[in-house]
Amino acid sequence: MNKRKLVQFVIKTSKHCNLRCRYCYEYEGLADKTAITLEQIESLFRHVADYYRNLDFPVDIEFIWHGGEPLLQHPSFYWQAFDIQNQIFDHPSDRVTNAVQTNLTLLDRERLRLLSEGFDYVGVSIDLFGGLRVYQTELESQDRVLKNMDKLLDAGIRFGCITVLSKRNIDRIADIYQFYRSMDLSARILPLFKGAFDNQHAGFEITAYETLAAYKKLFDLWISDDKFVSITPISDAIQQVVYHYTPDAPTVFYDKREWECIYLVNTDGNLYSYADAYNPERSHGNIFTTPMNQLIDNEQHWRIVSDAESRIEQTCSNCQYFGSCSGYPMAEGSREYYEVDDRGIMQCIVEQGILKYIDFRFREIGIIDQDNYKMVLDRLNVNQEVNTALSYA
Ligand code: SF4
């Protein structure tokens, strides 16, 4: 039996948003109320279902509803979309899930029910410190979001959070960690990506080295904690270092030619690789009007794949962790985020930097045997995730 694979479609439902977060990369479109229609959603679902159902291995399909603020759409929009989805993905082998990434400022009873019964996963954007997530009036949104997080918890709705690091909150990284620890919530701590226009981030931008320093601090908090706290990308990086030193651990290489695991669908139906989002010259084509197999099997798409392969080849081939890290950041990471050297080669400052640091700290505290690079299992008194990962060895 062939192994199941996962593909994710990030759908930009609409760019419209009730907030004006100062770093938002969609900033210039936030007043635009144009939204994907149900007819377009239906075409999208049909094209996705027709393609993935006919592969000779099973595929899990995840739709991630994104914006703007996706919950500005009336809940009936999503209920109808889910109905259409159920009709189209009606084969017993179809496995489809829906996630939503929300600013959680709008939470009436209907939306609470939608998050509870409609979506499978809920992501909440909150920065905790810094005051950059503001309404058009410049008032901060955070008090409302915290109250609404309590409502989700009271309703038994599990959710994870995304926090964007900026100059305004990077010095509070320990408080951010403690918040998620005390709330028992998982979180992704993301760097500030390039904005929508020049100087958008003036005054609160951070360098890759500052991001790396914050991640190092997060790792130190994580490793000295007796409680397991799920913080991405730290947990992923720890696992990669553990695998790097684990005999017979699986090697992973991101092979975009063989399997592409994530696409972005813009409001107009243009389908992109994440690294090329919104560059019309690098769209794979329109998924509202074009079957998926045609979007994948065309010269433009293979050129994009080949470019991603070159980025991995140039940046990852000399990286000691390549094989434990798949190289995915170079293939699918936002190309404007990564610095390039004077040969035009992308620099993996943050991802490789945190792997090296974890490696160094593991050695320092005696988790990796200095002589033979094997994990020293009996010296592990750290925490559950390392133990779990190492029990694999
Ligand atoms: S850490 Fe960076 S350079 Fe190393 S394999 Fe991963 S993406 Fe490539």
Side-chain angles (χ1 to χ4, degrees):
M1 174 79 177
N2 283 321
K3 217 173 140 207
R4 292 193 84 88
K5 292 183 191 276
L6 169 73
V7 64
Q8 295 175 306
F9 287 85
V10 177
I11 303 173
K12 293 283 174 176
T13 318
S14 163
K15 303 295 171 84
H16 187 210
C17 192
N18 57 329
L19 297 189
R20 293 293 181 274
C21 300
R22 290 187 47 202
Y23 52 69
C24 181
Y25 58 87
E26 301 282 12
Y27 203 90
E28 286 167 337
L30 296 176
D32 182 355
K33 294 187 178 168
T34 313
I36 292 185
T37 65
L38 288 166
E39 290 71 29
Q40 290 169 328
I41 294 281
E42 182 171 345
S43 304
L44 162 73
F45 287 160
R46 284 198 192 288
H47 290 147
V48 170
D50 288 348
Y51 179 74
Y52 290 98
R53 196 179 278 160
N54 288 315
L55 300 179
D56 56 8
F57 49 85
V59 179
D60 290 340
I61 299 167
E62 181 172 37
F63 295 104
I64 302 169
W65 303 82
H66 220 276
E69 171 46 41
L71 293 187
L72 275 176
Q73 305 305 311
H74 193 275
S76 64
F77 168 85
Y78 292 102
W79 290 119
Q80 289 175 80
F82 297 153
D83 280 347
I84 295 168
Q85 192 179 74
N86 288 335
Q87 285 163 28
I88 292 173
F89 293 91
D90 61 349
H91 192 271
S93 67
D94 288 338
R95 277 209 331 219
V96 177
T97 51
N98 292 283
V100 64
Q101 184 64 36
T102 173
N103 64 32
L104 206 67
T105 52
L106 304 151
L107 194 65
D108 55 15
R109 222 166 37 167
E110 272 305 292
R111 286 178 174 80
L112 196 64
R113 190 171 76 82
L114 181 70
L115 296 184
S116 170
E117 297 170 22
F119 288 106
D120 302 286
Y121 306 104
V122 177
V124 174
S125 303
I126 183 166
D127 293 347
L128 297 169
F129 304 98
L132 294 174
R133 300 188 60 82
V134 293
Y135 291 97
Q136 275 171 283
T137 56
E138 307 233 323
L139 274 175
E140 279 192 46
S141 62
Q142 183 148 303
D143 287 350
R144 165 72 56 96
V145 179
L146 288 169
K147 280 186 191 132
N148 285 339
M149 281 168 66
D150 285 340
K151 286 188 193 168
L152 294 189
L153 292 169
D154 289 345
I157 300 170
R158 287 297 301 166
F159 60 97
C161 294
I162 288 183
T163 290
V164 173
L165 285 179
S166 69
K167 193 76 101 195
R168 297 281 192 88
N169 65 358
I170 200 162
D171 292 338
R172 307 294 300 269
I173 195 75
D175 297 316
I176 292 170
Y177 179 87
Q178 288 307 333
F179 174 83
Y180 289 121
R181 182 187 197 277
S182 65
M183 297 286 285
D184 229 350
L185 290 170
S186 63
R188 289 175 69 201
I189 312 293
L190 296 179
L192 189 63
F193 290 115
K194 193 175 159 64
F197 51 85
D198 288 348
N199 295 325
Q200 183 183 4
H201 297 163
F204 52 87
E205 63 203 330
I206 49 172
T207 64
Y209 293 100
E210 287 170 311
T211 302
L212 176 58
Y215 284 177
K216 287 178 180 178
K217 201 160 192 175
L218 276 175
F219 170 77
D220 286 337
L221 290 161
W222 188 93
I223 198 78
S224 57
D225 199 341
D226 53 10
K227 179 177 176 181
F228 174 70
V229 186
S230 175
I231 298 278
T232 304
I234 305 307
S235 309
D236 293 345
I238 290 167
Q239 190 175 63
Q240 286 164 5
V241 176
V242 167
Y243 276 17
H244 180 63
Y245 287 104
T246 304
D248 305 325
T251 47
V252 282
F253 297 102
Y254 183 56
D255 187 347
K256 189 174 165 84
R257 190 171 294 274
E258 197 263 330
W259 184 251
E260 208 159 355
C261 60
I262 188 162
Y263 295 97
L264 185 144
V265 182
N266 202 5
T267 45
D268 58 6
N270 274 318
L271 189 77
Y272 294 97
S273 291
Y274 241 83
D276 300 309
Y278 307 152
N279 179 348
E281 285 167 19
R282 294 182 68 86
S283 164
H284 304 324
N286 194 304
I287 196 166
F288 294 160
T289 56
T290 315
M292 194 72 199
N293 57 349
Q294 287 179 33
L295 295 174
I296 285 180
D297 197 8
N298 67 63
E299 215 176 292
Q300 160 85 339
H301 177 256
W302 294 124
R303 197 165 36 241
I304 287 164
V305 170
S306 165
D307 287 352
E309 288 170 341
S310 299
R311 293 195 295 277
I312 292 180
E313 159 76 20
Q314 288 173 337
T315 307
C316 303
S317 51
N318 291 324
C319 173
Q320 61 183 306
Y321 303 104
F322 192 32
S324 307
C325 170
S326 68
Y328 175 93
M330 291 305 112
E332 302 290 3
S334 165
R335 286 157 69 186
E336 286 158 337
Y337 166 67
Y338 289 96
E339 288 178 25
V340 291
D341 68 9
D342 44 18
R343 297 162 301 163
I345 295 176
M346 280 163 65
Q347 303 298 292
C348 187
I349 294 165
V350 177
E351 287 85 351
Q352 193 185 58
I354 191 62
L355 293 176
K356 283 183 176 170
Y357 182 70
I358 292 170
D359 195 329
F360 161 75
R361 291 281 288 122
F362 273 6
R363 288 159 188 272
E364 200 177 49
I365 56 182
I367 291 176
I368 296 168
D369 184 322
Q370 297 268 12
D371 297 326
N372 60 14
Y373 294 103
K374 283 176 68 183
M375 287 294 177
V376 183
L377 296 175
D378 59 359
R379 294 194 61 187
L380 274 174
N381 57 355
V382 276
N383 70 32
Q384 192 189 338
E385 174 146 315
V386 173
N387 273 314
T388 308
L390 284 169
S391 63
Y392 171 86

